[in-house]
Each structure stands twice: as structure tokens, then as C-alpha cells.
Amino acid sequence: MTKVSSTLAPTGGRTRGGLAWCSRYGALAAFGVLLALNIVLTPYFLSLQTLNINLTQVCTIIIVAVGMNLVIATGGIDLSVGSLMAISGVLAPMTFLGQVVPVGNTALAVALAIVAAIGTAGLLGLFNGWLVSRFGIQPIVATLILFIAGRGIAQVLVDGNLQTFSVPQFAWIGQGTLLGIPTQAFVMAAIVAAALWAMRRTRFGRYVLAVGGNERAAVMAGLPVRRIKLAVYAISGLCAGVAGLVVIAINSASDANQIGLGTELDAIAAVAVGGSSLGGGQAHLLGTVLGALTIQLIRYTLLANGVPDAAALVVKAGVIALAVWLQQAQRRT
């Protein structure tokens, strides 16, 4: 019996190590393989135009996924981000077009619109956190409220109508470039950098991981668990607000029916594929960015090679399922 145990132990250790490596670095490996395949197979893949297309499609997901990663790190989930994007996306043009408060100066109106839209999304995120931390409502239930009601609010604000606008000072957020790179990529990079700094260099980051790792122990240690939960849901709301502005700036139009639709699922997928445990206690932000890029590159690769978008969605679902399976298998070993 002793011999059997000693023989199996190294194998079990290698298995755990292999699963851990796949869960943590699988997205990096997949991204590298996809890059190589596209360089060989996809015409003009290395062009600046292709880079800009992919950045335009993935930046908003990364922005939302950053906030989602912080929420998941505390053991929660936020299903409302897509609806908060819609609220932000309709409130901004209502503001800078003078439908809320008449403002003569366009630059001032745009600044007011940005603050109002992002601030409102942040407050609604805070509401989610209040439900979770004050009443102990399960996060999936608490955020389901605004997932449903939030988009309805956005539709009511504009009577379900499409809003179009031509305001260059605002459209620059989504259509402008700097050194040939879309402006939104710099917005995304700034948010990722700020989150990385907060998680790695501040007490807040350590508290977030402690709450998600073992909430009861965090309470017994005297950590401000309720405030941490309030903070991460508010941050998730703020990120959704920013993403909503980017989406409407790209299109110079705001459609409450479509803004942010399904983004909550893409954000959760990016977190899972990036190696962060959906059970909490981890926040691999760079992995989340890589997860979002990998999912986007899978879709682009398939579409560029003639595979229908419906099939691309099935492949994306398979990648997400694999990422979740790896996490579960790692826990069982």
C-alpha cells in the first residue's frame, strides 16, 4: 500500500501542476498559436487596419472585464453591466444634446455628459453592492434586478428610439486615433493600469482577495468586508459606464436596445479564460486582458477564413467551457 501511494503521489502532483499551468497560462498559449496561424494563413493580418479592427471590438469588453474581475475576486458576479452600459449610452447624448439641461458650450456639455453618464452607472453599481453587502442577497440575484430593469430604464428614457448625433468632441473617444492607435485603446490601457496598481500595491487589493478567498476569516480579522463589496460593484458600474460611452462614440449613435447586449457574458468569459477562479480569491487582470484578446482573435480568425459567425460563437462557448472545466478539475485534484 505504501508503495502504491509513493508511486501515485508524483503523478498526482504533475497532474495538479499541469492543470494549474493550463488554467493560468492556457490563454497565453492559445493566443500565441492563434497569432502564428493568422500570420501564416490570414492575408493582411499584420496590417494596422486589422489591429484597429480587433482593438475596436475588444476594448469595451476588456474595460467591463476589469470591473467584473474585481467583483468575481470577492466571490460575486455582476450581470447588470450590459444594462448599465445602455443607461450610460443613452444618458450621455441626452445630456450633451441639451435634453436634460441646456448647455450652450459644446465642450462643457460633453464633459457634463461624460461625468453624468459614468457617475450614474457607478451609483447603480453601488446599488448592486448595497443589495449584496447589506442584505446578503446572492450576487447573481441582486444584479439580475438591474440586468432586467436597467435596459428597460434606458429604453424608457428615449422611448425606445435610436439617437444619432454629430459631436466631434465626443466621437473622438471612439473614433479618434493617437499614433495610429484608436483612442479607446488608451482609455482601456489606463483602466487596466489603474486596476493593476490598486490590486498589487494597495491595501484595497489585498482586502479584495482576502474577502473572496475566505469571507468568514476576513470578517473575523476585522476587514471592512461590506465596504470592499460596495467598492468593487461601484467600480464595475463605473467601468460599464465608460464602456457604454465608447460604444456610442464609435457609432455616433445610441440604441438602448443594443448597447452592451451580451457584454456581461463576454466579460465573465474573459475572466474565466484568463485564469481567474470564478469562485473568488483571484484577480489575474493581465490574464483577463489576454482572455478577452484570445476570444476576440478566435472569432476574427474564424470569420477571416470564411467560418460563419454562428459557428464562431459555438467555438467561443467551447473555449469558455474548457476554461471552466480546467478550474473545476484543478480544484478536485
Coordinates of all heavy atoms in Angstrom, one line a residue, residues 173-275:
I173 N -13.7 60.0 -28.7 CA -13.5 58.9 -27.7 C -13.4 57.5 -28.4 O -12.6 56.7 -28.1 CB -14.5 58.9 -26.6 CG1 -14.5 60.2 -25.8 CG2 -14.4 57.7 -25.7 CD1 -15.7 60.3 -24.9
G174 N -14.3 57.4 -29.4 CA -14.4 56.1 -30.0 C -13.8 56.0 -31.4 O -13.5 55.0 -32.0
Q175 N -13.7 57.2 -32.1 CA -13.3 57.3 -33.5 C -11.9 57.9 -33.7 O -11.3 57.7 -34.7 CB -14.3 58.1 -34.3 CG -15.7 57.5 -34.3 CD -16.7 58.3 -35.1 OE1 -16.3 59.2 -35.8 NE2 -18.0 58.1 -34.8
G176 N -11.4 58.6 -32.6 CA -10.1 59.2 -32.8 C -8.9 58.3 -32.7 O -9.1 57.1 -32.3
T177 N -7.8 58.7 -33.1 CA -6.6 57.9 -33.1 C -5.4 58.7 -32.5 O -5.4 59.9 -32.6 CB -6.2 57.4 -34.4 OG1 -5.9 58.5 -35.3 CG2 -7.2 56.5 -35.0
L178 N -4.5 58.0 -31.9 CA -3.3 58.7 -31.4 C -2.1 57.7 -31.8 O -2.1 56.6 -31.4 CB -3.3 58.8 -29.9 CG -2.2 59.6 -29.2 CD1 -2.0 61.0 -29.8 CD2 -2.3 59.6 -27.7
L179 N -1.2 58.3 -32.6 CA -0.1 57.5 -33.2 C -0.6 56.3 -34.0 O 0.0 55.2 -34.0 CB 0.8 57.0 -32.0 CG 1.5 58.0 -31.2 CD1 2.2 57.4 -30.0 CD2 2.3 59.0 -32.0
G180 N -1.8 56.5 -34.6 CA -2.4 55.4 -35.4 C -3.2 54.4 -34.7 O -3.7 53.4 -35.3
I181 N -3.2 54.5 -33.3 CA -3.9 53.6 -32.5 C -5.2 54.2 -32.0 O -5.2 55.4 -31.6 CB -3.0 53.1 -31.3 CG1 -1.8 52.5 -31.8 CG2 -3.8 52.2 -30.4 CD1 -0.8 52.1 -30.7
P182 N -6.3 53.5 -32.0 CA -7.6 54.1 -31.5 C -7.5 54.6 -30.1 O -6.9 54.1 -29.2 CB -8.6 52.9 -31.6 CG -8.0 51.9 -32.6 CD -6.5 52.1 -32.4
T183 N -8.2 55.8 -29.9 CA -8.2 56.4 -28.6 C -8.7 55.5 -27.5 O -8.2 55.5 -26.4 CB -9.1 57.7 -28.7 OG1 -8.7 58.5 -29.8 CG2 -9.0 58.5 -27.4
Q184 N -9.7 54.7 -27.9 CA -10.3 53.9 -26.8 C -9.3 52.9 -26.3 O -9.4 52.4 -25.1 CB -11.5 53.1 -27.4 CG -11.1 52.3 -28.6 CD -12.4 51.7 -29.3 OE1 -12.9 50.7 -28.9 NE2 -12.8 52.3 -30.4
A185 N -8.3 52.5 -27.1 CA -7.3 51.6 -26.6 C -6.5 52.2 -25.5 O -6.1 51.5 -24.5 CB -6.3 51.2 -27.7
F186 N -6.2 53.5 -25.5 CA -5.5 54.2 -24.5 C -6.4 54.3 -23.2 O -5.9 54.2 -22.1 CB -5.1 55.6 -24.9 CG -4.0 55.5 -26.0 CD1 -4.3 55.6 -27.3 CD2 -2.7 55.4 -25.6 CE1 -3.4 55.5 -28.3 CE2 -1.7 55.3 -26.6 CZ -2.0 55.4 -27.9
V187 N -7.7 54.5 -23.4 CA -8.7 54.5 -22.3 C -8.6 53.2 -21.6 O -8.6 53.1 -20.4 CB -10.1 54.9 -22.8 CG1 -11.1 54.8 -21.6 CG2 -10.1 56.3 -23.4
M188 N -8.7 52.1 -22.4 CA -8.7 50.8 -21.9 C -7.4 50.5 -21.1 O -7.4 50.0 -20.0 CB -8.8 49.8 -23.0 CG -8.7 48.3 -22.6 SD -7.0 47.7 -22.8 CE -6.8 47.7 -24.5
A189 N -6.3 50.9 -21.7 CA -5.0 50.7 -21.1 C -4.9 51.4 -19.7 O -4.3 50.9 -18.8 CB -3.8 51.1 -22.0
A190 N -5.4 52.6 -19.7 CA -5.3 53.4 -18.4 C -6.1 52.7 -17.3 O -5.7 52.7 -16.2 CB -5.9 54.8 -18.7
I191 N -7.3 52.2 -17.7 CA -8.1 51.5 -16.7 C -7.5 50.2 -16.2 O -7.4 49.9 -15.0 CB -9.5 51.2 -17.3 CG1 -10.3 52.5 -17.5 CG2 -10.3 50.2 -16.4 CD1 -11.6 52.3 -18.2
V192 N -6.9 49.5 -17.1 CA -6.2 48.2 -16.7 C -5.0 48.6 -15.8 O -4.8 47.9 -14.8 CB -5.7 47.5 -18.0 CG1 -4.8 46.3 -17.6 CG2 -6.9 46.9 -18.8
A193 N -4.2 49.6 -16.2 CA -3.1 50.0 -15.4 C -3.5 50.4 -14.0 O -2.8 50.1 -13.0 CB -2.3 51.1 -16.1
A194 N -4.6 51.2 -13.9 CA -5.0 51.7 -12.6 C -5.5 50.5 -11.7 O -5.2 50.4 -10.5 CB -6.2 52.7 -12.8
A195 N -6.2 49.5 -12.3 CA -6.6 48.4 -11.6 C -5.5 47.5 -11.1 O -5.4 47.0 -10.0 CB -7.6 47.5 -12.5
L196 N -4.5 47.3 -12.0 CA -3.3 46.6 -11.6 C -2.6 47.2 -10.5 O -2.2 46.5 -9.5 CB -2.3 46.5 -12.8 CG -2.6 45.4 -13.9 CD1 -1.7 45.6 -15.1 CD2 -2.4 44.0 -13.3
W197 N -2.4 48.5 -10.5 CA -1.8 49.2 -9.4 C -2.5 49.0 -8.1 O -2.0 48.7 -7.1 CB -1.6 50.7 -9.7 CG -1.1 51.5 -8.6 CD1 0.2 51.6 -8.2 CD2 -1.9 52.2 -7.6 NE1 0.3 52.4 -7.1 CE2 -0.9 52.8 -6.7 CE3 -3.2 52.5 -7.5 CZ2 -1.3 53.6 -5.7 CZ3 -3.6 53.3 -6.4 CH2 -2.7 53.8 -5.5
A198 N -3.9 49.2 -8.2 CA -4.7 49.1 -7.0 C -4.6 47.6 -6.4 O -4.5 47.5 -5.2 CB -6.1 49.4 -7.3
M199 N -4.6 46.6 -7.2 CA -4.6 45.3 -6.8 C -3.3 44.8 -6.2 O -3.2 44.0 -5.3 CB -5.1 44.3 -7.9 CG -6.6 44.5 -8.2 SD -7.7 44.3 -6.8 CE -7.4 42.6 -6.4
R200 N -2.2 45.4 -6.8 CA -0.9 44.9 -6.4 C -0.2 45.8 -5.4 O 0.7 45.3 -4.6 CB 0.0 44.9 -7.7 CG -0.4 43.8 -8.7 CD 0.6 43.8 -9.9 NE 0.2 42.7 -10.8 CZ 0.9 42.4 -11.9 NH1 2.0 43.1 -12.2 NH2 0.5 41.4 -12.7
R201 N -0.6 47.0 -5.3 CA 0.2 48.0 -4.5 C -0.6 48.6 -3.3 O 0.0 49.3 -2.5 CB 0.7 49.2 -5.3 CG 1.5 48.7 -6.5 CD 2.9 48.2 -6.0 NE 3.8 47.9 -7.1 CZ 5.0 47.3 -7.0 NH1 5.4 47.1 -5.7 NH2 5.7 47.1 -8.0
T202 N -1.9 48.3 -3.2 CA -2.7 48.9 -2.2 C -3.3 47.9 -1.2 O -3.5 46.7 -1.6 CB -3.8 49.8 -2.8 OG1 -4.8 49.0 -3.4 CG2 -3.3 50.8 -3.8
R203 N -3.7 48.4 -0.1 CA -4.4 47.6 0.9 C -5.8 47.1 0.3 O -6.2 46.0 0.6 CB -4.6 48.4 2.2 CG -5.2 47.6 3.3 CD -5.4 48.5 4.6 NE -4.1 49.0 5.0 CZ -3.9 49.9 5.9 NH1 -5.0 50.4 6.6 NH2 -2.7 50.3 6.3
F204 N -6.4 47.9 -0.5 CA -7.7 47.6 -1.1 C -7.5 46.3 -1.9 O -8.4 45.4 -1.8 CB -8.1 48.7 -2.0 CG -9.3 48.3 -2.9 CD1 -10.6 48.3 -2.5 CD2 -9.0 48.0 -4.3 CE1 -11.6 47.9 -3.3 CE2 -10.1 47.7 -5.1 CZ -11.4 47.6 -4.6
G205 N -6.5 46.1 -2.7 CA -6.3 44.9 -3.4 C -6.1 43.7 -2.6 O -6.7 42.6 -2.9
R206 N -5.4 43.8 -1.5 CA -5.2 42.7 -0.6 C -6.5 42.3 0.1 O -6.9 41.1 0.3 CB -4.2 43.0 0.5 CG -2.8 43.2 -0.1 CD -1.7 43.2 1.0 NE -1.8 44.4 1.8 CZ -1.3 45.6 1.5 NH1 -0.5 45.7 0.4 NH2 -1.4 46.6 2.3
Y207 N -7.3 43.3 0.4 CA -8.6 43.1 1.1 C -9.6 42.4 0.1 O -10.4 41.5 0.5 CB -9.2 44.4 1.5 CG -8.6 45.0 2.8 CD1 -9.0 46.2 3.3 CD2 -7.6 44.3 3.4 CE1 -8.5 46.7 4.4 CE2 -7.0 44.8 4.6 CZ -7.5 46.1 5.1 OH -6.9 46.6 6.2
V208 N -9.6 42.8 -1.2 CA -10.4 42.1 -2.2 C -10.2 40.7 -2.3 O -11.1 39.8 -2.2 CB -10.2 42.8 -3.6 CG1 -10.9 41.9 -4.7 CG2 -10.8 44.2 -3.6
L209 N -8.9 40.3 -2.3 CA -8.5 38.9 -2.4 C -8.9 38.1 -1.1 O -9.3 37.0 -1.2 CB -7.1 38.7 -2.8 CG -6.6 39.4 -4.1 CD1 -5.1 39.1 -4.3 CD2 -7.4 38.8 -5.3
A210 N -8.7 38.8 0.0 CA -9.0 38.2 1.3 C -10.5 37.9 1.4 O -10.9 36.8 1.9 CB -8.5 39.1 2.4
V211 N -11.3 38.8 1.0 CA -12.8 38.6 1.1 C -13.2 37.5 0.2 O -14.0 36.6 0.6 CB -13.5 39.9 0.7 CG1 -15.0 39.7 0.5 CG2 -13.3 41.0 1.7
G212 N -12.7 37.4 -1.0 CA -13.0 36.3 -2.0 C -12.4 35.0 -1.6 O -13.0 33.9 -1.8
G213 N -11.3 35.0 -0.9 CA -10.6 33.8 -0.5 C -11.3 33.1 0.6 O -11.5 31.9 0.6
N214 N -11.7 33.9 1.6 CA -12.4 33.3 2.8 C -13.1 34.5 3.5 O -12.5 35.2 4.3 CB -11.4 32.6 3.7 CG -12.1 31.8 4.8 OD1 -13.2 32.2 5.3 ND2 -11.5 30.7 5.2
E215 N -14.4 34.7 3.2 CA -15.1 35.9 3.7 C -15.2 35.8 5.2 O -15.1 36.8 5.9 CB -16.4 36.0 3.0 CG -17.2 37.2 3.5 CD -18.5 37.4 2.7 OE1 -18.6 36.9 1.6 OE2 -19.4 38.1 3.3
R216 N -15.5 34.6 5.8 CA -15.7 34.5 7.2 C -14.4 34.9 7.9 O -14.4 35.6 8.9 CB -16.1 33.1 7.6 CG -16.1 32.8 9.1 CD -16.7 31.5 9.4 NE -18.1 31.3 9.1 CZ -18.8 30.3 9.4 NH1 -18.2 29.2 10.0 NH2 -20.1 30.2 9.1
A217 N -13.3 34.4 7.4 CA -12.0 34.7 8.0 C -11.7 36.2 7.9 O -11.2 36.9 8.8 CB -10.8 34.0 7.4
A218 N -12.1 36.8 6.8 CA -11.9 38.3 6.6 C -12.7 39.1 7.6 O -12.3 40.1 8.2 CB -12.3 38.7 5.2
V219 N -14.0 38.6 7.9 CA -14.8 39.3 8.9 C -14.2 39.1 10.3 O -14.1 40.1 11.0 CB -16.2 38.7 8.9 CG1 -17.0 39.2 10.1 CG2 -16.9 39.0 7.6
M220 N -13.7 37.9 10.6 CA -13.1 37.7 11.9 C -11.8 38.5 12.1 O -11.5 38.9 13.2 CB -12.8 36.2 12.1 CG -14.1 35.4 12.2 SD -13.8 33.6 12.3 CE -13.0 33.6 14.0
A221 N -11.1 38.8 11.0 CA -9.9 39.6 11.0 C -10.2 41.1 11.1 O -9.2 41.9 11.2 CB -9.0 39.2 9.8
G222 N -11.4 41.4 11.0 CA -11.8 42.9 11.2 C -11.7 43.6 9.9 O -11.7 44.9 9.9
L223 N -11.6 43.0 8.7 CA -11.6 43.7 7.4 C -12.9 44.3 7.1 O -14.0 43.7 7.5 CB -11.2 42.7 6.3 CG -9.8 42.0 6.5 CD1 -9.5 41.3 5.2 CD2 -8.7 43.0 6.8
P224 N -12.9 45.4 6.4 CA -14.2 46.1 6.1 C -14.9 45.4 4.9 O -15.0 46.0 3.8 CB -13.8 47.5 5.7 CG -12.4 47.3 5.2 CD -11.8 46.2 6.0
V225 N -15.4 44.2 5.1 CA -16.0 43.4 4.1 C -17.1 44.1 3.3 O -17.1 44.1 2.1 CB -16.5 42.1 4.6 CG1 -17.2 41.2 3.5 CG2 -15.3 41.3 5.2
R226 N -18.0 44.7 4.0 CA -19.1 45.4 3.4 C -18.6 46.5 2.5 O -19.1 46.7 1.3 CB -20.1 46.0 4.4 CG -20.9 44.9 5.1 CD -22.0 45.5 6.0 NE -22.9 44.5 6.6 CZ -23.9 44.7 7.4 NH1 -24.1 46.0 7.7 NH2 -24.6 43.8 7.9
R227 N -17.7 47.3 3.0 CA -17.2 48.4 2.1 C -16.4 47.9 0.9 O -16.5 48.6 -0.1 CB -16.3 49.3 3.0 CG -17.1 50.3 3.9 CD -16.1 51.2 4.6 NE -15.5 50.5 5.7 CZ -14.4 51.0 6.4 NH1 -13.9 52.2 6.1 NH2 -13.9 50.3 7.4
I228 N -15.7 46.8 1.1 CA -15.0 46.3 -0.1 C -16.0 45.8 -1.1 O -15.8 46.1 -2.4 CB -14.1 45.1 0.4 CG1 -13.0 45.6 1.2 CG2 -13.6 44.3 -0.9 CD1 -12.0 46.5 0.5
K229 N -17.1 45.2 -0.7 CA -18.1 44.7 -1.7 C -18.8 45.9 -2.4 O -19.0 45.9 -3.6 CB -19.1 43.9 -1.0 CG -18.6 42.5 -0.7 CD -19.7 41.6 -0.1 CE -19.2 40.2 0.2 NZ -20.3 39.3 0.7
L230 N -19.1 46.9 -1.6 CA -19.6 48.2 -2.2 C -18.7 48.7 -3.2 O -19.1 49.2 -4.3 CB -19.9 49.2 -1.1 CG -21.1 49.0 -0.2 CD1 -21.1 50.0 1.0 CD2 -22.4 49.2 -1.0
A231 N -17.4 48.8 -2.9 CA -16.4 49.4 -3.8 C -16.3 48.6 -5.1 O -16.3 49.2 -6.2 CB -15.1 49.4 -3.1
V232 N -16.2 47.3 -5.0 CA -16.0 46.5 -6.3 C -17.2 46.6 -7.2 O -17.0 46.7 -8.4 CB -15.6 45.1 -6.0 CG1 -14.3 45.0 -5.3 CG2 -16.7 44.3 -5.2
Y233 N -18.4 46.6 -6.6 CA -19.6 46.7 -7.5 C -19.7 48.2 -8.1 O -20.1 48.3 -9.2 CB -20.9 46.4 -6.7 CG -21.0 44.9 -6.6 CD1 -20.6 44.2 -5.5 CD2 -21.6 44.1 -7.6 CE1 -20.7 42.8 -5.3 CE2 -21.7 42.7 -7.5 CZ -21.3 42.1 -6.4 OH -21.4 40.7 -6.2
A234 N -19.3 49.2 -7.3 CA -19.3 50.5 -7.8 C -18.3 50.7 -8.9 O -18.5 51.3 -10.0 CB -19.0 51.5 -6.7
I235 N -17.1 50.1 -8.8 CA -16.1 50.1 -9.8 C -16.6 49.4 -11.1 O -16.3 49.9 -12.2 CB -14.8 49.5 -9.3 CG1 -14.1 50.3 -8.2 CG2 -13.8 49.2 -10.4 CD1 -13.0 49.7 -7.5
S236 N -17.2 48.3 -10.9 CA -17.8 47.5 -12.0 C -18.8 48.4 -12.8 O -18.8 48.5 -14.0 CB -18.5 46.3 -11.6 OG -19.0 45.5 -12.7
G237 N -19.6 49.2 -12.0 CA -20.5 50.1 -12.6 C -19.8 51.2 -13.4 O -20.2 51.6 -14.5
L238 N -18.8 51.7 -12.8 CA -18.0 52.8 -13.5 C -17.4 52.3 -14.8 O -17.4 53.0 -15.8 CB -16.9 53.3 -12.5 CG -17.4 54.1 -11.3 CD1 -16.2 54.4 -10.4 CD2 -18.0 55.4 -11.7
C239 N -16.8 51.1 -14.7 CA -16.2 50.5 -15.9 C -17.3 50.3 -17.0 O -17.1 50.6 -18.2 CB -15.6 49.2 -15.6 SG -14.0 49.3 -14.7
A240 N -18.5 49.9 -16.6 CA -19.6 49.7 -17.6 C -20.0 51.1 -18.2 O -20.3 51.2 -19.4 CB -20.8 49.0 -16.9
G241 N -20.0 52.1 -17.3 CA -20.3 53.4 -17.8 C -19.4 53.9 -18.9 O -19.8 54.5 -19.9
V242 N -18.1 53.7 -18.6 CA -17.1 54.1 -19.6 C -17.3 53.3 -20.9 O -17.2 53.9 -22.0 CB -15.6 53.9 -19.1 CG1 -14.6 54.1 -20.1 CG2 -15.4 54.8 -17.8
A243 N -17.5 52.0 -20.8 CA -17.6 51.2 -22.0 C -18.9 51.6 -22.8 O -18.8 51.6 -24.0 CB -17.8 49.7 -21.6
G244 N -19.9 52.0 -22.1 CA -21.1 52.5 -22.8 C -20.8 53.7 -23.6 O -21.3 53.9 -24.8
L245 N -20.0 54.6 -23.1 CA -19.7 55.8 -23.8 C -18.8 55.5 -25.1 O -19.0 56.1 -26.1 CB -18.9 56.8 -22.9 CG -19.6 57.3 -21.7 CD1 -18.8 58.4 -21.0 CD2 -21.0 58.0 -22.1
V246 N -17.9 54.6 -24.9 CA -17.0 54.2 -26.0 C -17.9 53.6 -27.2 O -17.7 53.9 -28.3 CB -16.0 53.2 -25.6 CG1 -15.2 52.6 -26.8 CG2 -15.0 53.8 -24.6
V247 N -18.8 52.8 -26.8 CA -19.7 52.1 -27.9 C -20.4 53.2 -28.7 O -20.5 53.1 -29.9 CB -20.7 51.1 -27.2 CG1 -21.7 50.7 -28.2 CG2 -19.9 49.9 -26.7
I248 N -21.1 54.1 -28.0 CA -21.9 55.1 -28.8 C -21.0 56.1 -29.5 O -21.4 56.6 -30.6 CB -22.9 55.8 -27.9 CG1 -22.2 56.7 -26.8 CG2 -23.8 54.9 -27.2 CD1 -23.1 57.7 -26.1
A249 N -19.8 56.3 -29.0 CA -18.9 57.2 -29.7 C -18.4 56.6 -31.0 O -18.1 57.3 -32.0 CB -17.7 57.6 -28.8
I250 N -18.2 55.3 -31.0 CA -17.7 54.6 -32.2 C -18.8 54.7 -33.3 O -18.4 55.0 -34.5 CB -17.5 53.1 -31.9 CG1 -16.3 52.9 -31.0 CG2 -17.3 52.3 -33.2 CD1 -16.1 51.4 -30.5
N251 N -20.0 54.6 -32.9 CA -21.1 54.6 -33.9 C -21.8 56.0 -34.1 O -22.6 56.1 -35.1 CB -22.2 53.6 -33.5 CG -21.6 52.2 -33.3 OD1 -20.9 51.7 -34.2 ND2 -22.0 51.6 -32.2
S252 N -21.4 57.0 -33.3 CA -22.2 58.3 -33.3 C -23.7 58.0 -33.3 O -24.4 58.7 -33.9 CB -21.8 59.1 -34.5 OG -20.5 59.6 -34.4
A253 N -24.1 57.0 -32.5 CA -25.5 56.7 -32.3 C -25.6 55.9 -31.1 O -24.7 55.2 -30.6 CB -26.0 55.9 -33.5
S254 N -26.8 56.0 -30.5 CA -27.1 55.3 -29.2 C -28.4 54.6 -29.4 O -29.5 55.2 -29.7 CB -27.3 56.4 -28.1 OG -27.8 55.8 -26.9
D255 N -28.3 53.3 -29.2 CA -29.5 52.4 -29.4 C -29.7 51.6 -28.1 O -28.9 50.7 -27.8 CB -29.3 51.4 -30.5 CG -30.6 50.6 -30.8 OD1 -31.5 50.7 -30.0 OD2 -30.6 49.8 -31.7
A256 N -30.6 52.0 -27.3 CA -30.8 51.4 -25.9 C -31.1 49.9 -26.0 O -30.9 49.1 -25.1 CB -32.0 52.1 -25.2
N257 N -31.6 49.5 -27.2 CA -31.9 48.0 -27.4 C -30.7 47.2 -27.6 O -30.7 46.0 -27.4 CB -32.9 47.8 -28.6 CG -34.1 48.7 -28.4 OD1 -34.9 48.5 -27.5 ND2 -34.4 49.6 -29.4
Q258 N -29.6 47.8 -28.0 CA -28.4 47.0 -28.4 C -27.2 47.3 -27.6 O -26.3 46.4 -27.5 CB -28.1 47.3 -29.9 CG -29.2 46.9 -30.9 CD -29.4 45.4 -30.9 OE1 -28.5 44.6 -30.7 NE2 -30.7 44.9 -31.0
I259 N -27.0 48.4 -27.0 CA -25.8 48.8 -26.3 C -25.5 47.8 -25.2 O -26.4 47.6 -24.3 CB -25.9 50.2 -25.7 CG1 -26.1 51.2 -26.8 CG2 -24.6 50.5 -24.9 CD1 -26.4 52.6 -26.2
G260 N -24.4 47.2 -25.2 CA -24.0 46.3 -24.1 C -24.7 44.9 -24.1 O -24.5 44.2 -23.2
L261 N -25.4 44.6 -25.1 CA -26.2 43.4 -25.2 C -25.2 42.2 -25.2 O -24.4 42.0 -26.1 CB -27.1 43.3 -26.4 CG -28.2 42.3 -26.4 CD1 -29.2 42.6 -25.3 CD2 -28.9 42.3 -27.8
G262 N -25.3 41.4 -24.2 CA -24.4 40.2 -24.1 C -23.0 40.5 -23.6 O -22.2 39.6 -23.4
T263 N -22.7 41.7 -23.3 CA -21.3 42.1 -22.8 C -21.0 41.4 -21.5 O -19.8 41.1 -21.2 CB -21.1 43.6 -22.7 OG1 -21.4 44.2 -24.0 CG2 -19.7 44.0 -22.3
E264 N -22.0 41.3 -20.6 CA -21.7 40.7 -19.3 C -21.2 39.3 -19.5 O -20.3 38.8 -18.7 CB -23.0 40.7 -18.5 CG -24.2 39.9 -19.0 CD -25.0 40.7 -20.1 OE1 -24.9 41.9 -20.1 OE2 -25.7 40.0 -20.8
L265 N -21.7 38.5 -20.5 CA -21.2 37.2 -20.7 C -19.8 37.2 -21.3 O -19.0 36.3 -20.9 CB -22.2 36.4 -21.6 CG -23.6 36.4 -21.2 CD1 -24.5 35.6 -22.2 CD2 -23.7 35.7 -19.8
D266 N -19.5 38.1 -22.2 CA -18.2 38.2 -22.7 C -17.2 38.6 -21.6 O -16.0 38.1 -21.6 CB -18.1 39.3 -23.8 CG -18.8 38.8 -25.1 OD1 -18.8 37.6 -25.4 OD2 -19.3 39.7 -25.9
A267 N -17.6 39.4 -20.7 CA -16.7 39.8 -19.6 C -16.4 38.7 -18.7 O -15.2 38.4 -18.3 CB -17.3 41.0 -18.9
I268 N -17.4 37.9 -18.3 CA -17.2 36.8 -17.5 C -16.4 35.7 -18.2 O -15.5 35.1 -17.6 CB -18.6 36.1 -17.1 CG1 -19.4 37.1 -16.2 CG2 -18.4 34.8 -16.4 CD1 -20.9 36.7 -16.0
A269 N -16.6 35.6 -19.5 CA -15.8 34.6 -20.3 C -14.3 35.0 -20.3 O -13.4 34.2 -20.1 CB -16.3 34.5 -21.7
A270 N -14.0 36.3 -20.4 CA -12.7 36.8 -20.4 C -12.0 36.5 -19.1 O -10.8 36.1 -19.0 CB -12.6 38.3 -20.7
V271 N -12.7 36.7 -18.0 CA -12.2 36.4 -16.7 C -11.8 34.9 -16.5 O -10.8 34.5 -16.0 CB -13.1 36.8 -15.6 CG1 -12.6 36.4 -14.2 CG2 -13.3 38.4 -15.6
A272 N -12.8 34.1 -17.0 CA -12.6 32.6 -16.8 C -11.4 32.1 -17.7 O -10.6 31.4 -17.2 CB -13.9 31.9 -17.2
V273 N -11.4 32.5 -19.0 CA -10.4 32.1 -19.9 C -9.0 32.7 -19.4 O -8.0 32.0 -19.6 CB -10.7 32.6 -21.3 CG1 -9.5 32.3 -22.3 CG2 -12.0 31.9 -21.8
G274 N -9.0 33.8 -18.8 CA -7.8 34.4 -18.3 C -7.2 33.8 -17.1 O -6.1 34.2 -16.7
G275 N -7.9 32.8 -16.5 CA -7.3 32.0 -15.4 C -7.7 32.4 -14.0 O -7.3 31.8 -13.0

